[in-house]
Amino acid sequence: MRIGIIGAGRIGSTLARHFAAIGYDVAIANSRGPDTLADVVADIGGPIRAVTAEEAARFGEAVVVSIPYGRYQELPTEPLRGKVVIDTCNYYPERDGHDPELDGDATTSSEKIQAHTGANLVKAFNAIYWENLRDHARPQGATDRVAIPLSGNDEEARAVVAGLIRDIGFDAVDAGHLGEGGRKHQPGSRVYATEMSSAETSALLHVA
């Protein structure tokens, strides 16, 4: 699979490393231009290249968006429309500025990004510390596999992202649709920034 990644911070670059390590073609972008990613690409190695955000959006069969929520309106929209987009973003008002709709819980950050891009958006990788994402991948069947919750409105898109989660060494736990399910693993939720098994995560998501 071809993976585009927009955002080369800790989560974005860690996912790039995982995907490249299992042989997926990766195109990674940041806001400062491909030339600034030479060291990142060299360090990761394998089938990875640095591109612009527009190019990453066009390249990927699935596209990871891993940028500060407050900058989501800078995302290229036309090439993301209808694609599987993996949203790792979280809303932090102290960083992003206050969004009245989110402060009032009228909607979620992922629903707003989906509306902006027209993508088949799946929220995932937002509730795990990047160090745990980097270090705690385990082979299939291992008893200490860590769960990663995901949510989205498109069943096929959720299945694609669940497969990617399993491919890189974690267990996917489906939280449901983007609004109701996404609230269950956003900041402040019971599974946010935890490290649990799929059974433990499923139990907490069900209670939520």
Side-chain angles (χ1 to χ4, degrees), residues 26-123:
V26 177
I28 188 168
N30 64 10
S31 60
R32 294 176 292 134
D35 291 347
T36 65
L37 290 170
D39 289 345
V40 172
V41 168
D43 181 58
I44 292 174
I48 181 170
R49 73 199 77 172
V51 298
T52 67
E54 178 90 11
E55 289 167 336
R58 294 190 182 281
F59 175 82
E61 296 170 83
V63 180
V64 176
V65 170
S66 190
I67 62 175
Y69 164 76
R71 301 185 64 177
Y72 80 90
Q73 291 182 327
E74 299 174 19
L75 289 168
T77 55
E78 189 276 327
L80 294 178
R81 191 165 294 113
K83 273 194 178 178
V84 175
V85 167
I86 305 168
D87 169 31
T88 79
C89 306
N90 288 312
Y91 169 55
Y92 300 113
E94 64 277 10
R95 178 197 66 189
D96 301 316
H98 281 278
D99 183 321
E101 290 185 309
L102 300 186
D103 290 341
D105 199 31
T107 186
T108 65
S109 61
S110 293
E111 288 173 294
K112 294 192 73 167
I113 295 172
Q114 178 177 256
H116 176 69
T117 59
N120 290 326
L121 189 137
V122 177
K123 188 179 190 73

Side-chain angles (χ1 to χ4, degrees), residues 121-124 147-163 165-166 171-178 180-182 184-185 191 198-199 201-206:
L121 189 137
V122 177
K123 188 179 190 73
I148 292 181
L150 63 93
S151 54
N153 295 339
D154 186 278
E155 187 174 344
E156 290 184 9
R158 292 204 310 269
V160 168
V161 177
I165 290 170
R166 291 190 292 268
D171 283 337
V173 178
D174 195 328
H177 286 179
L178 206 53
E180 180 185 357
K184 294 179 180 180
H185 58 103
V191 303
S198 57
T201 301
S202 294
L204 283 181
L205 290 173
H206 182 72

Side-chain angles (χ1 to χ4, degrees), residues 182-202:
R183 285 180 170 89
K184 294 179 180 180
H185 58 103
Q186 67 185 9
S189 67
R190 298 181 70 180
V191 303
Y192 179 73
T194 61
E195 195 173 22
M196 297 181 294
S197 69
S198 57
E200 293 168 322
T201 301
S202 294

Side-chain angles (χ1 to χ4, degrees), residues 18 131-138 144-146 169-170 195:
H18 279 312
E131 298 96 334
N132 293 340
L133 181 63
R134 179 191 63 192
D135 298 335
H136 294 168
R138 297 291 185 268
D144 58 345
R145 291 253 288 196
V146 173
F170 297 87
E195 195 173 22

